[in-house]
Amino acid sequence: MMVVSTMTSPDTVLDFAHAVALGLSDRPRWLPSRFLYDERGSELFEQICELPEYYLTRAEAAILRRVAPVLRRKTGPVTLVELGSGSSVKTDLLLAAYAEEGASVRYVPVDVSASILRTAAERIEETFPSVNVSGLHGEFEQALPLLEDYGPVMLLFLGSSIGNFNQAESLAFWRRVAAALPRGGWVLLGVDLAKPAAVLEAAYNDAAGVTAAFTRNLFARMNRELGAGLDLAAIGHEARWNPEWQRIEIGARFHRRQTLHVEPLGRRFTIEPGELVMTEISRKYSLPNLTEYLRCFGLATAHTATDDQRRFAVLLLQKGE
Ligand SMILES: C[S@@+](CC[C@H](N)C(=O)[O-])C[C@H]1O[C@@H](n2cnc3c(N)ncnc32)[C@H](O)[C@@H]1O
């Protein structure tokens, strides 16, 4: 039977208020990207995955389709724990291989977005009767201490989600993963590779304006949950390649002065015309640098696969015995 459990107090309105106040007090101003994913944000992200400019999802799916049986042979039977699982649509490709010939498989999707987690868990239960789904609603780091309960495990971190961490967040994340993963445990990581700026900027500035709606939805959420009182028409979307940091920087450019209220804390912030509030980064990688970096956390690369145009890569990592 499908179970979705909530780990302790994820994303309460007060967490949101504190995170917004912290990021807006900094310069340049920023907001943590996990708050992009309320119910509407998750729906918009699914639409982004279908956009012609957003090659990432299709490239990663093509790789997973090809390598799923290889991964199954290498890892043997494992519990699949997926961080930031979203709709889990690509995960079907793995579940099909791991549940072959009716083998029973445990799948633990973890996501801050309760609505998409529930929909995904229900869909998977219907599609794969031999897969036992236990969804966890909450943040990545809340799920990591639970890994030791799952026996042999493969942690899935797909969709280029690792690219949303800055250097300090990435360091903290991999330290936590290395500490929580049992020896011999596996990680399957999906990463976007560095490529010409024009291709990257097009992927995050789609012609249909869905990514812009995704950015603006964060401010609509602030209006609703924090009483921010913003005129959404004053907020534009921008995505630019930063070659020095090898990352796409996505943000909201304010066209007019706005006073943003954070009612639960009784605080307000004035944002001037022309100011940018960064809402998300997406780092892009070179495979040699990334595999060296991951080795520093005791994670050896056991298999690497890219799509035929080498836009995206999926890495199977194993924690040293
Ligand atoms: C870039 S999307 C990727 C979704 C899916 N894995 C894919 O490949 O299409 C990131 C997902 O992670 C979730 N998420 C973001 N930050 C999170 C956090 N700190 N803890 C748990 N889930 C998070 C979002 O709700 C979203 O579903």
Side-chain angles (χ1 to χ4, degrees), residues 58-74:
R58 283 183 296 278
E60 189 176 36
I63 300 168
L64 293 175
R65 193 170 291 114
R66 196 179 76 230
V67 301
V70 179
L71 300 173
R72 168 72 181 78
R73 279 197 297 281
K74 279 190 184 281

Side-chain angles (χ1 to χ4, degrees), residues 254-311:
F254 279 63
H255 303 311
R256 279 180 274 122
R257 173 189 279 223
Q258 293 283 295
T259 301
L260 191 161
H261 299 261
V262 182
E263 279 184 351
L265 305 180
R267 296 192 59 183
R268 61 167 74 177
F269 298 88
T270 303
I271 304 176
E272 298 296 340
E275 263 198 82
L276 182 80
V277 177
M278 201 169 341
T279 52
E280 200 179 14
I281 59 165
S282 187
R283 293 171 74 190
K284 308 298 167 185
Y285 296 88
S286 99
L287 280 175
N289 293 352
L290 181 62
T291 49
E292 278 299 298
Y293 175 80
L294 292 166
R295 265 179 52 185
C296 301
F297 301 92
L299 296 169
T301 305
H303 190 79
T304 306
T306 65
D307 63 306
D308 52 7
Q309 295 175 55
R310 291 187 68 81
R311 293 169 299 180

Side-chain angles (χ1 to χ4, degrees), residues 34 37 45 82 84-86 90 111-113 138-140 158-159 161:
R34 68 181 183 280
Y37 297 91
F45 182 73
E82 179 163 14
S85 44
K90 275 174 294 174
D111 208 289
V112 279
S113 182
E139 294 196 31
F140 304 140
L158 302 176
S161 292

